[in-house]
Amino acid sequence: METIVIKAGSRYQKFSTASADSVLTIGRAYSNDIIVSDPYVAAQEAELYWQEGAWYLRTLDNTNPVLLNSYELENGQGRLQSGDEIALGKSRIQVFAENHAVEPAREFTLANWLSQHRFKPLLSFAMLAVLFLSYAGIASLSVYEKMETGKVFAEALWFPVLALVWAGLWSLTGRFLRHQHYFFSHLFFTALLLTLMEVLSGLPGYINFMFSIGMSVIVLYWIISGILFGVLLSFNLSLASNLKNTLRKGLLISACIMGLFAAINYFEKDDYSNRPTFAVSIKSPPAPVFNVASIDEYVSSYDELFDKLAKEEIDQ
């Protein structure tokens, strides 16, 4: 490979052999052909040289070891193959031949499709409205007294605000890593997954109502939340970075976060609790309740009933 391609970080540089004794220097000094900004790399750390139809790596400084594919060089030098990785200090560079095979082009995913959609702002804010209405609707079904509309809507407003902040943070990350923010795509999928989390949050309660699985309903709730949160992270990672297998990475990160919260909850648990260790749902939450009376009205109606029964007993 007379022409060599050097990958440092996300940047690629191509070098050709101008002569039979071509040498490329690597180090922190600005005089090098390949500059590595790493305090653990010497001013003149190593060099690549062309000899007898191949590129070789040779170390020039022994302060820190130079590794080739995670192994130290024998006698301070080694022959390079296309795809080899060189570790210098805390930095990594890779070398490739110009004919090195590349992966096939990736197909557009739903996330990438949305990022190109002409109506993405409208779709994103529509999904934000669905998130707000879904929380407000479910919250209103869970109220057994007279509903305070203003209070329910104020609480429901936190979810769109959370979605905006989350999407904004991932947009800044994408701007830094890929020079593209994809704000509306992040906002759409964040609102969509938060809506699913809210809608499915009552599923463990229904299952407990039908099958009486007791405290296992808490585990089921965390599993559902963890899966949905992992899917959300996978969408965010696919838009903000060039990582592969983002679904697997998102689920793994979500599992670690859920495990951390579970551990904190376990160690902060009191030695004694008046809460039952087993519970049975006698009503599926939430369930629609119409013509709802307040607690005071409910108690007052019973007082009137008792007074009526007492009066009838006296009359007899």
Side-chain angles (χ1 to χ4, degrees), residues 271-284:
D271 293 334
Y272 170 77
S273 175
N274 58 2
R275 299 182 63 183
T277 57
F278 179 79
V280 177
S281 295
I282 60 175
K283 177 181 179 298
S284 56

Side-chain angles (χ1 to χ4, degrees), residues 278-316:
F278 179 79
V280 177
S281 295
I282 60 175
K283 177 181 179 298
S284 56
V289 179
F290 301 99
N291 299 322
V292 183
S294 67
I295 294 295
D296 293 335
E297 292 172 344
Y298 186 75
V299 173
S300 177
S301 66
Y302 267 91
D303 289 339
E304 292 176 2
L305 178 61
F306 290 144
D307 291 341
K308 182 178 179 181
L309 291 174
K311 184 178 179 181
E312 290 179 355
E313 186 177 352
I314 293 173
D315 292 340
Q316 292 177 357

Side-chain angles (χ1 to χ4, degrees), residues 77-207:
Q77 63 180 3
R79 180 170 177 168
L80 296 176
Q81 302 290 335
S82 182
D84 284 350
E85 181 183 74
I86 304 170
L88 310 107
K90 291 187 175 181
S91 302
R92 301 287 186 275
I93 65 174
Q94 282 185 282
V95 295
F96 299 97
E98 62 179 346
N99 60 349
H100 189 90
V102 297
E103 296 181 359
R106 300 183 192 177
E107 296 183 2
F108 273 125
T109 61
L110 179 60
N112 290 322
W113 169 81
L114 180 64
S115 68
Q116 306 294 330
H117 202 286
R118 58 183 299 187
F119 296 117
K120 59 185 177 184
L122 182 62
L123 291 172
S124 300
F125 284 110
M127 198 67 242
L128 210 61
V130 171
L131 171 62
F132 172 79
L133 293 175
S134 64
Y135 180 86
I138 293 174
S140 64
L141 291 177
S142 303
V143 174
Y144 300 106
E145 299 183 28
K146 287 186 176 179
M147 182 178 66
E148 298 181 15
T149 306
K151 183 179 180 180
V152 171
F153 283 178
E155 293 177 354
L157 194 60
W158 279 103
F159 279 79
V161 172
L162 175 63
L164 286 167
V165 172
W166 182 267
L169 292 174
W170 278 103
S171 298
L172 291 174
T173 304
R175 183 68 179 175
F176 176 75
L177 295 178
R178 295 182 62 182
H179 307 291
Q180 293 287 345
H181 58 82
Y182 296 126
F183 172 74
F184 291 111
S185 299
H186 285 294
L187 182 60
F188 177 86
F189 287 108
T190 301
L192 174 62
L193 268 298
L194 286 178
T195 301
L196 288 176
M197 287 182 188
E198 180 60 27
V199 172
L200 295 179
S201 63
L203 180 61
Y206 285 106
I207 295 176

